[in-house]
Amino acid sequence: MKKYAFWELNDAVGAHPALLVAATGQTISYDQLRQLRDSFRSQMQERRGLCVIEAVPTPECIAAYLAALAAECPVILREPMSTDRGGRPAEIFPILYRFDSATSQIVSNTDAEDLALHPDLRLLLSTSGSTGASKFVRLSTKNLTSNASAIAEYLGITSDDRAPTSLPLSYSYGMSVLNSHLQAGACIILVDESVVSTAFWRAFDTAKCTSFAGVPQSFYLLTRSGELKRDRPSLRYVTQAGGKLQPDTVRNLSDLGKQSGWRFYVMYGQTEAAPRIAYLPPELASEHPDAIGRAIPGGKLWVAGPDGTELPSGENGELIYEGPNVMMGYAMTPEDLSAGHGPPVLKTGDLGFVDEIGLFHITGRASRFLKLSGKRISLDEVETLLSREGIQAIAVGEDDALGLVHANKTDLASGMATKLSIPATFVHDIHVDKIPINNNGKPDLPAAKAMFESELKKLSNAPTRSNFQTSETAEKSVYEVFKRQFPDATITSQTSFETLGGTSNDFIEVELALESIGIPPSDSWHLNSIADLAKRAGTVPEISRRWMPDYACAGAIGTLLVVLLHVIGLPGGGGLGLPDDSAWHAFNAFFDPLRMPLFALLSGFSFYLAGTSDLPIATMSGRILRGLLVPAAIAIAVFAAFRHVASPQFAFHSVSDVLALLWLPYGHFWFVMSIILIMMASYAVFRLAPAKPELFLIAIGLAFMTFPVEFDPNVWSINAAIRLMPFFVTGYFYGKYSQQLHEYLRLILPAAVIAVIALTVIELPGGLAGRFLDLTVSLAMITVCIVCAGWLPLLKRLAPYAFFIYLWHVLGTSTMRRALQFLDVEGLPIFVVAGMCAGVFLPIIAFHVVGYLPFARYIRGK
């Protein structure tokens, strides 16, 4: 039977899907991909030459890649929008063809000189550690096909498998996923989304993907978000490469895979090996989580001593690999492209040993290498690049942190990050008066490392800056905002608020912090990565601040109205005990359609914003427990203990009164109970009706709006939950369609007025007109509130404390009222102003005081 190279596209699976575009649902069969490949191939018939391809996850890009390989035109894969770390290929080699991702066309450079190319040369990849040397790995037909076949073999890839583009195609790991799946006749799902976004996992589940490939950073983020804990029957295996995972993480992922029905493969490789070298069988991962495993099929791995001889098990030495996938060699000049094959042996530069059962372990690096954002970086080559520019520096660091110790007055980090194609947050300038030198006149590496560690410590405690000189400082400042808010998260330049799954409190605080450092407001900042947010530093806001909906300030308005309600009291008692016909009661009654419906709507907005519907049940339950239930329970306990100060009506007269706290509404805490019920019900809808959950959510909202039954007893404020559910549902869709709502805001308000007028004259059966009228009036008032809230700067200051004020304000208002009465102070305005101040500012003071307690996050609701 004929063996196919993956770019030949086995015609035995011609009608089988080869590519699926997640964004559009378009499916490309192997026959269709072959036709598209041949169309591009026909544009490369002029002569043989290099083809540069900006690797983006589109059918046209993949077809162009296959076409160039089939036409024997060696491919150089570039990162999208990159500056090509190590130099632009066109500055090093004459480029004959270029795939333009914007037009999906092959562009020929007829002026390109002819190159002498080795007949076996197929691919040039910039090494992840190459910088000033501008070194490219030369890969042959045999290198690519043997590695693709080996990967397909040990992973057991078949034509039934479906893999998403979870890694850049220009990255050797991402490229190998594509190659191995095409080699096996499987399907690639083209997803152009971050692996920690809800959009990626929606596409993953819709396409019924069978595998996931990630680097360590991916798994640290996904472990926090809980995505890998979700039930995914189609998921067959998960692979990890691109750096070392901590043994505990490997063990946890392996155990999670066993529980969930998928296998976890730890893999090891280098670009020089096209790229896979070793893999750890999943059944051994839990017992040997620090191992890289065994050589791939067709390869050999051993440990060599200083003299090159193979060492026995247990002895430490350099890992050496031999196999058909070892590169032809490096290319640094056009003349190198005609060179033949080097020996099929690769010195990995990694130190390690082999254990008694044949598993290999890495213990260090033979040379000065580290991993930055999943890329292998040579510290020596970083120094070489700088020295060629006339700059003396010492490169030191650790994985995900590179330090440049130098005496230059200008910063070097930003330029180096660009050359390395890594986020600027990974590179740090360490300015010194004089480069540290040891007694032998050589760079003092230990001293430089100590300076680097000291600088990292300073950065972790440094305040954010509001005036940015460069995009690098802007990105660092945004990074610091996120790191302060989410101290336990792994954060990179591609992290966004959405990927971190922040709560509504986090949303408000991060938004305010971003504005304080010069990031203008926008309606979708929470979807932007740190890098994208930094680009907007100092720019003009996308929307006029005056007409920009402000959900944070709207929450502050609702909180103030609640405080005022409890300062004045309710008809029949409480607060100042005013007569039932008091104008203050009428004032409070006017805002009844706004107060709690506004809170419910904002809760629905946050429910969508935080991607709560996509969280595993344990994560969702944990958020409710930590963010709502525990803070409310603590507040209830304190409130109950001081019940006589607050109001005699909340006093306990029997044991049953105390037990009722567990299941009946108590004081103003009924709202927290009702929101928890609403969130649980909404979450259940998304779990039980995954096909069209939003339609069911709308149906429940409409049904509850007309629900005539009042439950007795009112367990956990279920009656309020029923009344507020329509507003929560509306808030969910406010979040989902916020951009469209903002665009048509000036039309929405007149439409609401017309609806109110219409509903006052239309008669609907069963009192439905009145219910719809109440809903419309509330939504109109809420919309006005959200739009106008941002006009008052004070609200911005209060917004981060809104939930805490809601929980604790009654103790402040009651204490102030009794103090004024004890002092024989008279005058309603004094009681109102003093009560409002106490109800608002005493909780804020308490918020900061409890911050010194070890369990402050549970009191604050964070």
Side-chain angles (χ1 to χ4, degrees), residues 721-753:
I722 291 172
R723 291 194 303 272
L724 295 175
M725 183 70 176
F727 298 100
F728 181 91
V729 173
T730 305
Y732 176 90
F733 288 101
Y734 259 55
K736 183 168 185 178
Y737 299 108
S738 58
Q739 186 170 355
Q740 294 90 325
L741 287 169
H742 300 172
E743 291 174 359
Y744 298 105
L745 195 59
R746 289 184 174 88
L747 297 178
I748 293 174
L749 293 178
V753 173

Side-chain angles (χ1 to χ4, degrees), residues 233-249:
S234 65
L235 183 57
R236 189 169 67 81
Y237 66 89
V238 172
T239 64
Q240 177 269 319
K244 182 178 177 60
L245 272 180
Q246 293 300 317
D248 286 346
T249 305

Side-chain angles (χ1 to χ4, degrees), residues 425 458-470 472-486 509-519 530 537:
T425 50
K458 290 179 183 177
L459 287 174
S460 65
N461 298 321
T464 56
R465 287 167 283 179
S466 58
N467 296 318
F468 303 119
Q469 302 299 321
T470 66
E472 178 192 5
T473 58
E475 188 168 317
K476 283 184 178 179
S477 292
V478 178
Y479 171 85
E480 289 163 7
V481 167
F482 276 64
K483 195 63 182 176
R484 284 200 308 272
Q485 196 71 21
F486 305 98
E509 293 174 23
V510 173
E511 183 181 56
L512 294 175
L514 289 176
E515 287 195 46
S516 72
I517 63 169
I519 308 298
I530 288 177

